[in-house]
Amino acid sequence: MDLQQQRSAMVSQAAAMVVVMVALISSKLKRHRGEDEPISYGPRLEAEHREKNISLIYNSTDAECIAMLRMSRAPFFALCDLFRQRGLVLDTINSSVEEQVAMFLHVVGHNQRFRVVHQ
């Protein structure tokens, strides 16, 4: 490759990097300003079963919570609050942050597949 081709490749890589950085900064600013569309809640399918599981975590002892999630209740809710505050996991129409974190911890803690908890 001659010098001209190397410069051309470097310029195209730099341009691609600038585009990626602008997109990243733009999305961060939108999230910071709250310009994302608000969550609209609608009827939730199979909500009773999931709410029953979450209420089981809320009302269980630490020993039962450790058996379900491999984590006691206080750190579990602190983790959910941390995810919610930093915007890492968001409430959706179909599931809350607690439900999403509980499903993940159940899958990881019990070495199962997501197919087991998808319902």
Side-chain angles (χ1 to χ4, degrees), residues 12 14 20 26 29 31 42 51 54 61 68 71-72 82 88 94 109 114:
S12 65
V20 168
S26 173
L29 287 174
R31 186 183 307 166
E51 288 174 2
I54 291 299
T61 63
M68 287 185 280
M71 181 182 285
S72 61
L82 180 73
L88 299 173
N94 296 316
F114 274 106

Side-chain angles (χ1 to χ4, degrees), residues 35-46:
E35 292 180 7
D36 290 339
E37 293 183 20
I39 297 171
S40 59
Y41 291 94
R44 293 173 53 186
L45 302 174
E46 302 174 2

Side-chain angles (χ1 to χ4, degrees), residues 29-82:
L29 287 174
K30 277 185 180 179
R31 186 183 307 166
H32 181 68
R33 283 187 258 158
E35 292 180 7
D36 290 339
E37 293 183 20
I39 297 171
S40 59
Y41 291 94
R44 293 173 53 186
L45 302 174
E46 302 174 2
E48 283 183 23
H49 181 68
R50 289 194 310 268
E51 288 174 2
K52 181 179 159 187
N53 289 336
I54 291 299
S55 69
L56 182 66
I57 293 170
Y58 277 108
N59 301 321
S60 67
T61 63
D62 278 341
E64 291 171 339
C65 193
I66 289 171
M68 287 185 280
L69 305 175
R70 305 291 192 235
M71 181 182 285
S72 61
R73 290 181 302 165
F76 171 73
F77 290 115
L79 182 66
C80 292
D81 286 339
L82 180 73

Side-chain angles (χ1 to χ4, degrees), residues 13-30:
Q13 287 176 349
M17 182 63 93
V18 168
V19 169
V20 168
M21 293 301 290
V22 167
L24 178 67
I25 291 170
S26 173
S27 68
K28 292 270 187 189
L29 287 174
K30 277 185 180 179

